[in-house]
């Protein structure tokens, strides 16, 4: 999920030019993302341009950028914390309760990362939808639709929240949280030899 969120944040296909309407223009396809906008020509040549100014961008792009960066940072720290909390690692293996709590903390970080990804992608998709159906003088084939990065982002958010939820379920049961007692096996009958 984290790798998919990283891919969704980097690629410039957050919105793409629409091919709806009567007069279809297929010579140039426009793609826009959080960091750059690209024009793909029918010959296969693609030209991209980074967004020049941060302050001149629309608010929804700035918000989506911030949420995706926060999501990637939370996911990165979630990976580190979860690896430390796994049962197969040697770090902190003397206290299994603390180790499982560390795994739960990693799960919480993953859930928060997924929520940030979901919020960023949904906010951007809402803006694209509103601009597409807004009555204006722009012809319908010059408007934008959902790009593939939005779908990758929704999938990444789902996977990250699912993985985080599963890690949160690794919290030990109440009866096992206290001290663990180990019973020594004793033979049921003791024989004494004279």
């Amino acid at each position: 999920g984290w790798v998919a969120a990283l891919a969704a944040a980097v690629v410039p296909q957050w919105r793409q030019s629409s091919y709806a309407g009567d007069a279809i223009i297929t010579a140039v396809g426009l793609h826009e993302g959080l960091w750059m906008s690209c024009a793909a020509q029918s010959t296969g040549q693609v030209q991209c341009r980074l967004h020049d100014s941060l302050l001149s961008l629309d608010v929804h792009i700035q918000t989506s950028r911030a949420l995706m960066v926060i999501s990637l940072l939370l996911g990165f720290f979630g990976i580190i914390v979860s690896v430390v909390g796994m049962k197969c690692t040697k770090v902190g293996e003397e206290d299994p309760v603390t180790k499982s709590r560390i795994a739960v903390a990693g799960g919480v970080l993953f859930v928060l990362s997924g929520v940030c990804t979901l919020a960023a992608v949904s906010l951007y998709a809402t803006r694209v939808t509103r601009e597409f159906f807004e009555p204006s003088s722009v012809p319908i084939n010059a408007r934008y639709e959902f790009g593939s990065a939005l779908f990758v982002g929704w999938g990444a958010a789902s996977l990250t929240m699912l993985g985080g939820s599963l890690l949160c379920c690794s919290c030990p049961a109440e009866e096992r949280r206290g001290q663990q007692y180990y019973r020594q096996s004793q033979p049921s009958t003791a024989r004494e030899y004279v």
Side-chain angles (χ1 to χ4, degrees):
W2 184 79
V3 172
L6 178 64
V10 172
V11 297
Q13 281 89 8
W14 279 62
R15 68 179 187 168
Q16 63 188 12
S17 53
S18 174
Y19 295 110
D22 297 333
I24 298 175
I25 302 170
T26 58
V28 177
L30 301 175
H31 303 283
E32 287 189 11
L34 297 179
W35 312 101
M36 66 180 74
S37 29
C38 297
Q41 299 178 0
S42 60
T43 59
Q45 185 179 13
V46 178
Q47 296 175 338
C48 294
R49 180 180 58 89
L50 292 172
H51 295 306
D52 295 329
S53 172
L54 175 68
L55 298 178
S56 67
L57 290 174
D58 291 336
V59 174
H60 75 282
I61 295 177
Q62 292 180 17
T63 307
S64 295
R65 269 186 178 186
L67 284 170
M68 287 304 289
V69 168
I70 291 169
S71 167
L72 292 172
L73 288 174
L74 285 172
F76 178 73
F77 290 123
I79 290 171
I80 293 172
V81 171
S82 297
V83 166
V84 170
M86 293 175 79
K87 292 179 182 177
C88 60
T89 58
K90 298 283 186 188
V91 179
E93 71 180 346
E94 63 273 353
D95 188 8
V97 174
T98 304
K99 197 161 183 66
S100 65
R101 286 183 182 158
I102 292 172
V104 169
V108 169
L109 288 173
F110 275 125
V111 169
L112 290 175
S113 172
V115 168
C116 286
T117 302
L118 182 66
V121 172
S122 298
L123 173 71
Y124 199 95
T126 302
R127 179 64 182 244
V128 170
T129 304
R130 194 174 86 219
E131 287 177 357
F132 186 82
F133 289 110
E134 193 173 78
S136 68
S137 61
V138 177
I140 197 164
N141 59 356
R143 298 180 187 179
Y144 287 96
E145 292 181 350
F146 292 167
S148 57
L150 293 180
F151 300 107
V152 172
W154 279 317
S158 302
L159 287 174
T160 308
M161 288 191 294
L162 177 66
S165 301
L166 291 175
L167 273 173
C168 287
C169 292
S170 69
C171 191
E174 275 301 319
E175 63 270 5
R176 291 188 295 166
R177 283 192 181 166
Q179 276 187 326
Q180 294 183 356
Y181 297 101
Y182 298 100
R183 299 176 70 188
Q184 293 181 350
S185 61
Q186 297 179 353
S188 59
T189 58
R191 295 185 184 177
E192 291 184 14
Y193 293 103
V194 182

